[in-house]
Amino acid sequence: MGLLTIIKKQKLKDKEIRILILGLDNSGKTTIIKKILNKDIDEISPTMGFEINTLEYQEYTLNIWDIGGQTTLRTFWNNYFDKTDLIIWVIDSLSENRLEESFKELYNKIILQDKLTYGIYLLIMINKIDLVKDKEQLMNLKNNVVNNLKLNDSSVINSNQWDIELVSGKTGEGLENCLKWIISKDY
Ligand SMILES: Nc1nc2c(ncn2[C@@H]2O[C@H](COP(=O)(O)OP(=O)(O)OP(=O)(O)O)[C@@H](O)[C@H]2O)c(=O)[nH]1
Ligand SMILES: [Mg+2]
């Protein structure tokens, strides 16, 4: 193998990004991933364990681990943190009655994890925006998330380490922006 081939291979390997997608059950994680992969999103059932999906995006390979969000499965989440570069947290914009539960799980199980302090990125997706007609409601929800999780407080998380986006796994709206943000980071 020539030196150039070795260097090229090494470069390709360096461009792999390992992503965990987490959030409460029914928030739309699997739908979002399948949509990004251009797969059928009509027959998706709750994820009972996990599924690994690979996406080639520009010169990057994204390995996305989609983990089930049901209560009984949440205790296993931290088994997947090792070697993760980025965590996507999905929030269902419709289920206001479950917001507190979502904040609590994100704060306790993700943000307070040491691993996040050591440089894992966090991307929060507010999903199902196709079903919310009131744009102001979405902006309020976005602010609510940022304030509740104290994301603007740099002692909790660095400002370049997180982002929040409005998306729809059904229509695909907002997902391209998310991918762009993901590959804009240093890993
Ligand atoms: N209208 C609309 N429905 C969505 C959207 N995303 C997901 N859904 C619906 O929400 C339900 C749950 O979606 P899933 O993708 O299975 O949710 P999940 O987060 O993977 O759930 P678990 O695997 O149990 O953790 C399904 O009925 C989806 O069709 C969206 O952006 N818009
Ligand atoms: Mg799922």
Side-chain angles (χ1 to χ4, degrees):
M1 199 188 295
L3 186 59
L4 203 62
T5 323
I6 294 173
I7 292 170
K8 270 191 190 150
K9 280 213 157 145
Q10 188 60 37
K11 269 200 121 170
L12 274 180
K13 220 174 86 210
D14 286 344
K15 294 206 165 177
E16 260 186 40
I17 305 173
R18 182 164 147 153
I19 299 171
L20 264 185
I21 181 161
L22 299 171
L24 301 186
D25 46 293
N26 203 52
S27 53
K29 300 176 291 296
T30 307
T31 306
I32 288 170
I33 298 309
K34 299 287 174 208
K35 185 71 186 177
I36 292 176
L37 290 165
N38 268 322
K39 290 192 179 158
D40 182 23
I41 55 166
D42 292 332
E43 306 285 335
I44 291 173
S45 39
T47 310
M48 299 316 288
F50 68 92
E51 196 186 322
I52 308 168
N53 294 278
T54 303
L55 168 72
E56 302 294 338
Y57 184 72
Q58 300 196 9
E59 66 267 49
Y60 292 84
T61 302
L62 312 188
N63 288 318
I64 309 171
W65 293 59
D66 172 17
I67 323 273
Q70 292 180 40
T71 325
T72 48
L73 301 171
R74 292 178 203 162
T75 45
F76 302 110
W77 283 351
N78 60 3
N79 294 345
Y80 298 91
F81 287 165
D82 249 9
K83 298 201 192 84
T84 288
D85 298 305
L86 183 142
I87 292 173
I88 297 175
W89 183 265
V90 182
I91 295 176
D92 178 348
S93 56
L94 291 181
S95 65
E96 275 185 58
N97 57 332
R98 297 191 71 192
L99 264 185
E100 214 159 297
E101 183 188 359
S102 179
F103 292 160
K104 199 183 102 225
E105 296 291 31
L106 172 55
Y107 203 74
N108 293 334
K109 296 215 168 73
I110 315 286
I111 293 182
L112 290 186
Q113 287 283 328
D114 287 351
K115 298 251 165 52
L116 204 68
T117 329
Y118 295 124
I120 296 184
Y121 294 101
L122 173 67
L123 171 59
I124 299 171
M125 291 184 178
I126 297 184
N127 189 33
K128 309 195 186 180
I129 60 167
D130 56 298
L131 297 175
V132 184
K133 295 290 160 262
D134 185 354
K135 293 295 161 217
E136 200 181 322
Q137 192 184 327
L138 286 175
M139 291 321 289
N140 288 340
L141 176 56
K142 208 169 161 178
N143 290 336
N144 193 0
V145 174
V146 173
N147 294 336
N148 250 284
L149 297 165
K150 304 187 181 70
L151 294 173
N152 280 331
D153 178 348
S154 59
S155 65
V156 177
I157 182 168
N158 285 330
S159 59
N160 78 335
Q161 208 181 340
W162 66 275
D163 186 29
I164 184 165
E165 298 284 342
L166 301 171
V167 306
S168 165
K170 267 269 143 74
T171 66
E173 193 180 345
L175 295 178
E176 184 82 28
N177 269 351
C178 293
L179 291 173
K180 283 189 181 138
W181 185 80
I182 289 171
I183 64 162
S184 75
K185 296 287 150 192
D186 288 327
Y187 297 97

